[in-house]
């Protein structure tokens, strides 16, 4: 038992650092892509299409990659993801047309998907059951750190003075490619080979339709879709709102980073909040409040008011992703948890395709603030579904203990290791 935390801290720290760089590159590139599209003559509808293409390739790749992690190693997906992220960022910076910009944005999205599936698989596989909540929370803090720094860096580099936006947005995209490449420095010996590969032998192929009919899985997928769509459209459309309200790109970057900082704060206090309120109440309340705040962004509030709303909104959005993952894990059949989480990720990408495209259509008709009203309605719907669809499976404090009997069930068959249950949970969180 004592030796476990030492390697755990080492590989997890390196993974957090790598993900912070990879996520920082993506978070820097997303608003930069929007500004570059504006410099190429894009309108609100085109911005929505480009933001949607970012998720188009991952939409088709999520489930196959999720199944792959059940039957093999996780770590090879990480450098592949970094290469695709860096290449997509660099080529977006050199793109001279909107179709090319959209295509390279899609490559960037595919790279992000590869990295996330590989990294989440690694966290689940190499964490003891009792440490998974803590380790996954630390991992998401690493992602939020990237979301905190990326927009600030993009806002600092991008300038619209004297028609320089085309040049400065390209520079921001090239710098984001360099940031992504920095992830490679932390990826050495990150996977324990002894834990790789064997979990796939315990998981059979459960039909996708059967998984989707399992009570609680659709609710978890929809909640995750709503929360991620809110974060995604916020990143893509706040620059457009800033343009119409005369807010400088640097200020927009600070506002987006403020949201990310609030998300970090939320995840630092997630455990005490769960103990005090319970999973279902916390998830539904934060979705409801987040929906109201998203809709309020449409109001012509001053910059300081927008900052306050984004801070509270970031705190609320920090709850949705990890808890919706737990919803799917607890509801899914034991032999198909990785596939269920891959379906959850497919739902995320479907939202990233449909929500920005819908936002672009709405913005073209009703104005740039209208997509935030749409997001508000989506999150309010997620709050209601969280109460109805996930209640029995995701209630309050018993949640951490619920997966443990399943996770530890292979232990009688695995006398060779001290923590055999640490292999089984790979199916629990590898695709989140």
């Amino acid at each position: 038992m004592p030796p476990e935390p030492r390697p755990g801290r080492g590989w997890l720290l390196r993974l957090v650092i790598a993900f912070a760089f990879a996520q920082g590159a993506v978070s820097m590139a997303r608003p930069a892509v929007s500004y570059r599209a504006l410099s190429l003559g894009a309108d609100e509808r085109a911005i929505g299409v480009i933001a949607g293409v970012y998720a188009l390739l991952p939409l088709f790749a999520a489930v196959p990659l999720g199944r792959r992690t059940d039957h093999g190693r996780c770590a090879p997906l990480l450098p592949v993801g970094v290469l695709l992220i860096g290449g997509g960022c660099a080529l977006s910076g050199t793109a001279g047309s909107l179709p090319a910009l959209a295509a390279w944005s899609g490559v960037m999205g595919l790279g992000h998907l590869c990295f996330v599936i590989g990294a989440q698989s690694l966290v689940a596989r190499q964490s003891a059951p009792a440490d998974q909540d803590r380790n996954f929370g630390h991992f998401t803090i690493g992602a939020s750190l990237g979301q905190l720094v990326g927009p600030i860096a993009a806002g600092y580099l991008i300038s619209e003075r004297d028609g320089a936006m085309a040049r400065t947005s390209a520079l921001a995209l090239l710098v984001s490619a360099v940031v992504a490449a920095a992830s490679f420095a932390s990826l050495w010996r990150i996977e324990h080979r002894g834990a790789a590969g064997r979990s796939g032998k315990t998981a059979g192929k459960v039909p996708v339709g059967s998984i989707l009919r399992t009570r609680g899985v659709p609710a978890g997928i929809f909640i995750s879709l709503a929360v991620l769509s809110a974060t995604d459209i916020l990143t893509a459309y706040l620059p457009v709102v800033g343009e119409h309200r005369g807010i400088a790109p640097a200020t927009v970057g600070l506002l987006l980073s403020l949201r990310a900082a609030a998300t970090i704060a939320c995840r630092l206090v997630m455990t005490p909040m769960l103990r005090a309120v319970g999973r279902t109440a916390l998830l539904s309340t934060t979705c409801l409040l987040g929906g109201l705040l998203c809709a309020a962004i449409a109001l012509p509030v001053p910059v300081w008011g927008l900052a306050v709303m984004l801070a509270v909104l970031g705190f609320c959005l920090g709850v949705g992703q990890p808890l919706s993952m737990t919803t799917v894990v607890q509801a899914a059949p034991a032999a198909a948890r990785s596939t269920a989480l891959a379906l959850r990720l497919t739902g995320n990408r479907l939202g990233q395709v449909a929500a920005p495209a819908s936002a672009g259509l709405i913005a073209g008709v009703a104005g740039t603030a209208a997509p935030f009203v749409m997001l508000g309605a989506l999150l309010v719907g997620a709050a209601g579904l969280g109460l109805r669809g996930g209640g029995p499976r995701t209630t309050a404090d018993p949640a951490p203990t619920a997966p443990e009997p399943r996770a530890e069930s292979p232990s009688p068959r695995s006398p060779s290791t001290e923590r055999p249950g640490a292999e089984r949970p790979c199916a629990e969180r590898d695709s989140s």
Side-chain angles (χ1 to χ4, degrees), residues 55 58-59 109 112-113 116 228 345-354:
L59 180 63
H112 188 258
L113 174 81
V116 168
L228 188 64
L345 193 55
T346 302
N348 287 351
R349 295 306 185 254
L350 178 62
Q352 286 182 301
V353 172

Side-chain angles (χ1 to χ4, degrees), residues 27-44:
S27 299
M28 184 178 179
R30 297 302 302 284
V33 164
S34 294
Y35 281 117
R36 181 151 184 81
L38 290 171
S39 73
L40 293 174
D43 57 12
E44 290 84 356

Side-chain angles (χ1 to χ4, degrees), residues 103-207:
W104 295 126
S105 180
V107 171
M108 188 198 316
L110 182 60
H112 188 258
L113 174 81
C114 290
F115 194 100
V116 168
I117 288 181
Q120 295 292 344
S121 299
L122 211 56
V123 172
R125 181 173 292 178
Q126 298 187 173
S127 301
D131 296 335
Q132 285 181 356
D133 288 335
R134 182 199 65 191
N135 289 353
F136 186 75
H138 290 171
F139 176 77
T140 55
I141 288 173
S144 296
L145 285 172
Q147 293 171 346
L148 173 65
V149 176
I152 292 178
Y156 177 78
L157 290 173
I158 297 171
S159 172
E160 53 189 337
R161 294 178 182 174
D162 302 323
M165 187 182 291
R167 177 177 56 82
T168 56
S169 60
L171 174 63
L173 286 164
L174 293 174
V175 171
S176 67
V178 175
V179 172
S183 299
F184 283 117
S186 300
L187 294 180
W188 50 275
R189 293 184 180 179
I190 204 163
E191 183 172 22
H192 302 158
R193 290 177 180 266
R198 289 181 296 187
S199 64
K201 299 178 183 178
T202 66
K205 273 194 174 183
V206 178

Side-chain angles (χ1 to χ4, degrees), residues 54-66:
Y54 169 83
L56 189 60
L57 289 176
L59 180 63
F60 299 103
V63 171
L65 286 174

Side-chain angles (χ1 to χ4, degrees), residues 138-296:
H138 290 171
F139 176 77
T140 55
I141 288 173
S144 296
L145 285 172
Q147 293 171 346
L148 173 65
V149 176
I152 292 178
Y156 177 78
L157 290 173
I158 297 171
S159 172
E160 53 189 337
R161 294 178 182 174
D162 302 323
M165 187 182 291
R167 177 177 56 82
T168 56
S169 60
L171 174 63
L173 286 164
L174 293 174
V175 171
S176 67
V178 175
V179 172
S183 299
F184 283 117
S186 300
L187 294 180
W188 50 275
R189 293 184 180 179
I190 204 163
E191 183 172 22
H192 302 158
R193 290 177 180 266
R198 289 181 296 187
S199 64
K201 299 178 183 178
T202 66
K205 273 194 174 183
V206 178
V208 168
S210 175
I211 300 170
L212 290 175
R213 287 191 296 269
T214 303
R215 186 167 185 257
V217 171
I221 291 174
F222 184 80
I223 291 167
S224 181
L225 181 155
V227 171
L228 188 64
S229 295
T231 304
D232 206 54
I233 291 180
L234 201 63
T235 302
Y237 266 83
L238 201 60
V240 182
V241 172
E243 277 290 289
H244 282 76
R245 297 185 186 178
I247 303 174
T251 304
V252 171
L254 286 172
L255 290 172
L256 289 172
S257 295
L258 178 63
R259 183 216 52 88
T263 298
I264 294 174
C266 168
R267 287 168 180 169
L268 286 171
V269 297
M270 183 82 73
T271 300
M273 287 194 301
L274 282 170
R275 290 173 180 166
V277 179
R279 181 169 283 109
T280 299
L282 181 62
L283 187 57
S284 298
T285 301
T286 53
C287 283
L288 177 60
L289 182 56
L292 296 175
L293 288 167
C294 271

